[in-house]
Amino acid sequence: MKVGVLALQGDVREHFRALADCGVEAINIRRVSELNQVDALILPGGESTTIAQLAETFGIFTSIQERISAGMPVYGSCAGMILLANHVLDAAPTQRTFGGIDVTVRRNAFGRQVDSFETDVHVAHIEGAPIKAVFIRAPWVEEIGQGVEVLASVTSADGMTHPMAIRQGPLLATSFHPELTSDSRIHRYFVEEVCKSAPVIR
Ligand code: GLN
């Protein structure tokens, strides 16, 4: 299996390392010809507005949407979660997403006071010790459609619980950045469970 990492902006190299830990070959994706070579895609953490704009500039935005509609497995971390969400609150003007997961996410949801923090979380389907979740100006999920599985949630300062790891079929997203830790279990879950359960379509 060949996995692409959308390499327009963000923590691309860190995802390569996590995939290498899982024994998976990865390539940078900037062009449609590169997208056509991969079976699955990772949308990195970074800045969702910049990534979407660059995807339009590089002429790859619509092709990514088409591959998502056709069932390509995609994992998005943080900005990548925003890019996979069908709806975004606190979006920048004219901000677009690829979409695919039937959720509404709120950008920069944790507010300025706690714009970066770490916490240990249990994530469904991930065996063993809790995952160290690193949040950096992270989104959370505010509305969730049928067919979206919540794998982990976080409780905000006001006592509300918000999903922060979700899956809908071949699409997986986390508010946090497993690629910034040495724990590659989320990436392993993506390549070994999420990707394997999806039909191969190019
Ligand atoms: N706040 C960023 C955005 O809106 C996401 C931050 C991140 O990926 N660490 O895209």
Side-chain angles (χ1 to χ4, degrees):
M1 184 179 63
K2 215 173 184 184
V3 178
V5 182
L6 187 63
L8 301 171
Q9 190 267 338
D11 60 359
V12 174
R13 210 180 310 159
E14 289 80 357
H15 280 287
F16 268 78
R17 190 207 38 77
L19 289 168
D21 278 355
C22 303
V24 170
E25 186 194 351
I27 63 167
N28 284 310
I29 305 295
R30 295 192 189 90
R31 300 195 157 69
V32 175
S33 58
E34 293 159 343
L35 182 67
N36 291 341
Q37 294 169 39
V38 295
D39 307 296
L41 182 66
I42 288 188
L43 305 176
E47 181 51 54
S48 56
T49 52
T50 306
I51 294 172
Q53 263 164 20
L54 287 171
E56 302 223 29
T57 306
F58 278 72
I60 197 174
F61 191 99
T62 308
S63 302
I64 291 174
Q65 283 187 319
E66 286 168 1
R67 286 293 304 273
I68 290 172
S69 302
M72 173 177 65
V74 185
Y75 166 45
S77 64
C78 200
M81 173 191 258
I82 297 168
L83 289 163
L84 282 175
N86 285 351
H87 305 285
V88 182
L89 300 171
D90 292 337
T94 74
Q95 176 167 5
R96 292 176 69 203
T97 69
F98 303 124
I101 303 185
D102 185 13
V103 288
T104 301
V105 300
R106 185 177 294 280
R107 281 178 78 217
N108 304 327
F110 294 90
R112 218 174 267 162
Q113 306 90 314
V114 284
D115 63 7
S116 264
F117 66 100
E118 292 177 12
T119 186
D120 286 347
V121 290
H122 280 285
V123 180
H125 310 301
I126 309 289
E127 305 272 310
I131 298 265
K132 193 214 285 178
V134 178
F135 295 84
I136 304 168
R137 294 188 305 110
W140 66 38
V141 177
E142 287 208 0
E143 281 170 44
I144 190 145
Q146 276 182 359
V148 180
E149 184 187 3
V150 176
L151 306 181
S153 296
V154 63
T155 303
S156 53
D158 58 5
M160 301 277 286
T161 297
H162 301 281
M164 48 102 161
I166 51 175
R167 176 177 173 185
Q168 185 167 18
L171 306 177
L172 175 71
T174 60
S175 300
F176 55 91
H177 294 270
E179 71 278 11
L180 299 184
T181 72
S182 56
D183 185 345
S184 44
R185 283 178 293 165
I186 296 278
H187 288 77
R188 196 171 290 279
Y189 172 67
F190 177 63
V191 297
E192 290 183 359
E193 306 292 332
V194 178
C195 290
K196 296 261 159 75
S197 65
V200 177
I201 310 160
R202 275 204 201 161

Short mmCIF file of all heavy atoms in Angstrom, two decimals, residues 11 44-51 77-80 82 90 95 107-108 135-139 175 177 179-180, ligand 1:
data_model
loop_
_atom_site.label_atom_id
_atom_site.label_comp_id
_atom_site.label_asym_id
_atom_site.label_seq_id
_atom_site.Cartn_x
_atom_site.Cartn_y
_atom_site.Cartn_z
N ASP A 11 2.90 19.86 9.15
CA ASP A 11 3.91 18.94 9.70
C ASP A 11 3.98 17.62 8.91
O ASP A 11 3.74 16.53 9.42
CB ASP A 11 3.67 18.72 11.21
CG ASP A 11 2.30 18.12 11.52
OD1 ASP A 11 1.51 17.89 10.58
OD2 ASP A 11 2.03 17.89 12.71
N PRO A 44 -2.03 16.75 6.90
CA PRO A 44 -1.26 17.02 8.11
C PRO A 44 -1.86 18.13 8.96
O PRO A 44 -2.78 18.83 8.52
CB PRO A 44 0.10 17.46 7.55
CG PRO A 44 -0.24 18.09 6.24
CD PRO A 44 -1.41 17.30 5.69
N GLY A 45 -1.29 18.29 10.15
CA GLY A 45 -1.59 19.47 10.95
C GLY A 45 -0.88 20.67 10.35
O GLY A 45 0.14 20.54 9.67
N GLY A 46 -1.42 21.83 10.59
CA GLY A 46 -0.85 23.06 10.02
C GLY A 46 -1.90 24.13 10.08
O GLY A 46 -2.48 24.38 11.14
N GLU A 47 -2.19 24.74 8.96
CA GLU A 47 -3.20 25.80 8.91
C GLU A 47 -4.19 25.43 7.79
O GLU A 47 -3.83 25.45 6.61
CB GLU A 47 -2.49 27.14 8.64
CG GLU A 47 -3.41 28.33 8.58
CD GLU A 47 -4.35 28.42 9.78
OE1 GLU A 47 -3.86 28.41 10.93
OE2 GLU A 47 -5.57 28.48 9.56
N SER A 48 -5.41 25.12 8.20
CA SER A 48 -6.38 24.59 7.25
C SER A 48 -6.68 25.56 6.11
O SER A 48 -6.89 25.14 4.97
CB SER A 48 -7.67 24.19 7.96
OG SER A 48 -8.21 25.28 8.68
N THR A 49 -6.71 26.86 6.42
CA THR A 49 -7.01 27.84 5.36
C THR A 49 -5.90 27.85 4.32
O THR A 49 -6.16 27.86 3.12
CB THR A 49 -7.14 29.26 5.97
OG1 THR A 49 -5.99 29.52 6.77
CG2 THR A 49 -8.37 29.37 6.83
N THR A 50 -4.65 27.82 4.79
CA THR A 50 -3.49 27.85 3.88
C THR A 50 -3.45 26.58 3.04
O THR A 50 -3.23 26.63 1.82
CB THR A 50 -2.19 27.97 4.70
OG1 THR A 50 -2.31 29.08 5.56
CG2 THR A 50 -0.98 28.13 3.81
N ILE A 51 -3.67 25.44 3.69
CA ILE A 51 -3.61 24.16 2.96
C ILE A 51 -4.69 24.14 1.87
O ILE A 51 -4.43 23.77 0.73
CB ILE A 51 -3.76 22.97 3.94
CG1 ILE A 51 -2.54 22.91 4.88
CG2 ILE A 51 -3.90 21.65 3.16
CD1 ILE A 51 -2.66 21.89 6.02
N SER A 77 -5.07 15.07 10.78
CA SER A 77 -4.81 15.48 12.16
C SER A 77 -4.94 17.00 12.25
O SER A 77 -4.40 17.72 11.42
CB SER A 77 -3.41 15.02 12.62
OG SER A 77 -2.38 15.63 11.89
N CYS A 78 -5.70 17.45 13.21
CA CYS A 78 -5.87 18.87 13.55
C CYS A 78 -6.37 19.69 12.34
O CYS A 78 -7.54 19.58 12.00
CB CYS A 78 -4.59 19.42 14.16
SG CYS A 78 -4.90 20.93 15.11
N ALA A 79 -5.52 20.45 11.66
CA ALA A 79 -5.99 21.13 10.45
C ALA A 79 -6.60 20.12 9.48
O ALA A 79 -7.57 20.41 8.78
CB ALA A 79 -4.85 21.88 9.79
N GLY A 80 -6.03 18.91 9.46
CA GLY A 80 -6.55 17.85 8.60
C GLY A 80 -7.95 17.44 8.98
O GLY A 80 -8.77 17.07 8.13
N ILE A 82 -10.16 19.53 10.25
CA ILE A 82 -11.00 20.63 9.73
C ILE A 82 -11.25 20.40 8.23
O ILE A 82 -12.38 20.54 7.75
CB ILE A 82 -10.31 21.99 9.98
CG1 ILE A 82 -10.17 22.23 11.49
CG2 ILE A 82 -11.09 23.13 9.31
CD1 ILE A 82 -9.25 23.40 11.86
N ASP A 90 -16.43 29.22 13.06
CA ASP A 90 -15.26 30.09 13.19
C ASP A 90 -14.28 29.91 12.03
O ASP A 90 -13.06 30.02 12.18
CB ASP A 90 -14.54 29.89 14.53
CG ASP A 90 -15.40 30.37 15.70
OD1 ASP A 90 -16.28 31.23 15.47
OD2 ASP A 90 -15.19 29.88 16.82
N GLN A 95 -13.40 30.24 3.59
CA GLN A 95 -12.69 28.98 3.84
C GLN A 95 -13.48 27.79 3.31
O GLN A 95 -14.68 27.67 3.58
CB GLN A 95 -12.43 28.80 5.34
CG GLN A 95 -11.76 27.46 5.66
CD GLN A 95 -11.21 27.37 7.08
OE1 GLN A 95 -11.40 28.27 7.88
NE2 GLN A 95 -10.52 26.29 7.36
N ARG A 107 -13.12 25.65 14.74
CA ARG A 107 -11.67 25.95 14.68
C ARG A 107 -11.22 26.62 15.96
O ARG A 107 -11.97 27.38 16.56
CB ARG A 107 -11.36 26.90 13.53
CG ARG A 107 -11.30 26.25 12.18
CD ARG A 107 -11.04 27.30 11.12
NE ARG A 107 -9.66 27.72 11.06
CZ ARG A 107 -9.26 28.97 10.81
NH1 ARG A 107 -10.14 29.93 10.65
NH2 ARG A 107 -7.98 29.25 10.75
N ASN A 108 -9.98 26.39 16.32
CA ASN A 108 -9.34 27.06 17.47
C ASN A 108 -10.26 27.02 18.69
O ASN A 108 -10.39 27.99 19.42
CB ASN A 108 -9.00 28.50 17.11
CG ASN A 108 -8.12 28.59 15.87
OD1 ASN A 108 -7.29 27.72 15.62
ND2 ASN A 108 -8.31 29.62 15.07
N PHE A 135 -2.41 18.98 21.65
CA PHE A 135 -3.35 19.89 20.99
C PHE A 135 -2.65 21.23 20.74
O PHE A 135 -2.06 21.80 21.66
CB PHE A 135 -4.55 20.17 21.91
CG PHE A 135 -5.40 18.96 22.19
CD1 PHE A 135 -5.07 18.09 23.20
CD2 PHE A 135 -6.54 18.71 21.43
CE1 PHE A 135 -5.86 16.98 23.47
CE2 PHE A 135 -7.33 17.60 21.70
CZ PHE A 135 -6.99 16.74 22.72
N ILE A 136 -2.73 21.72 19.51
CA ILE A 136 -2.15 23.03 19.18
C ILE A 136 -3.21 23.81 18.39
O ILE A 136 -3.51 23.46 17.25
CB ILE A 136 -0.86 22.89 18.35
CG1 ILE A 136 0.16 22.01 19.09
CG2 ILE A 136 -0.27 24.28 18.05
CD1 ILE A 136 1.34 21.59 18.24
N ARG A 137 -3.80 24.82 19.02
CA ARG A 137 -4.89 25.58 18.39
C ARG A 137 -5.86 24.62 17.68
O ARG A 137 -6.20 24.78 16.51
CB ARG A 137 -4.33 26.64 17.43
CG ARG A 137 -3.55 27.73 18.18
CD ARG A 137 -3.14 28.89 17.29
NE ARG A 137 -2.37 28.44 16.13
CZ ARG A 137 -2.81 28.46 14.88
NH1 ARG A 137 -4.01 28.92 14.58
NH2 ARG A 137 -2.04 28.04 13.92
N ALA A 138 -6.32 23.67 18.46
CA ALA A 138 -7.03 22.52 17.89
C ALA A 138 -8.52 22.79 17.72
O ALA A 138 -9.10 23.57 18.46
CB ALA A 138 -6.82 21.32 18.79
N PRO A 139 -9.12 22.09 16.77
CA PRO A 139 -10.59 22.12 16.66
C PRO A 139 -11.19 21.05 17.57
O PRO A 139 -10.50 20.13 18.01
CB PRO A 139 -10.80 21.71 15.20
CG PRO A 139 -9.66 20.76 14.92
CD PRO A 139 -8.50 21.25 15.74
N SER A 175 -8.36 15.66 16.59
CA SER A 175 -8.06 17.07 16.90
C SER A 175 -6.60 17.24 17.26
O SER A 175 -6.06 18.34 17.17
CB SER A 175 -8.85 17.53 18.13
OG SER A 175 -10.22 17.42 17.93
N HIS A 177 -2.34 15.75 17.57
CA HIS A 177 -1.24 15.47 16.63
C HIS A 177 -0.42 14.26 17.08
O HIS A 177 0.65 14.44 17.68
CB HIS A 177 -0.26 16.64 16.61
CG HIS A 177 -0.77 17.92 16.07
ND1 HIS A 177 -0.69 18.26 14.75
CD2 HIS A 177 -1.33 18.98 16.69
CE1 HIS A 177 -1.19 19.47 14.57
NE2 HIS A 177 -1.59 19.93 15.72
N GLU A 179 1.45 12.59 15.33
CA GLU A 179 2.72 12.66 14.58
C GLU A 179 3.80 13.43 15.33
O GLU A 179 4.97 13.36 14.99
CB GLU A 179 2.48 13.24 13.18
CG GLU A 179 2.16 14.74 13.12
CD GLU A 179 0.69 15.09 13.40
OE1 GLU A 179 -0.06 14.20 13.86
OE2 GLU A 179 0.32 16.26 13.17
N LEU A 180 3.39 14.20 16.34
CA LEU A 180 4.38 14.97 17.11
C LEU A 180 4.89 14.19 18.32
O LEU A 180 5.66 14.72 19.12
CB LEU A 180 3.80 16.32 17.56
CG LEU A 180 3.36 17.25 16.44
CD1 LEU A 180 2.88 18.58 17.00
CD2 LEU A 180 4.50 17.49 15.44
N1 GLN B 1 -5.97 26.23 13.95
C1 GLN B 1 -5.46 25.55 12.79
C2 GLN B 1 -6.42 25.66 11.61
O1 GLN B 1 -7.43 26.25 11.67
C3 GLN B 1 -5.14 24.10 13.06
C4 GLN B 1 -3.96 24.00 13.99
C5 GLN B 1 -3.13 22.77 13.85
O2 GLN B 1 -3.22 22.01 12.86
N2 GLN B 1 -2.26 22.58 14.81
O3 GLN B 1 -6.16 25.11 10.60
#
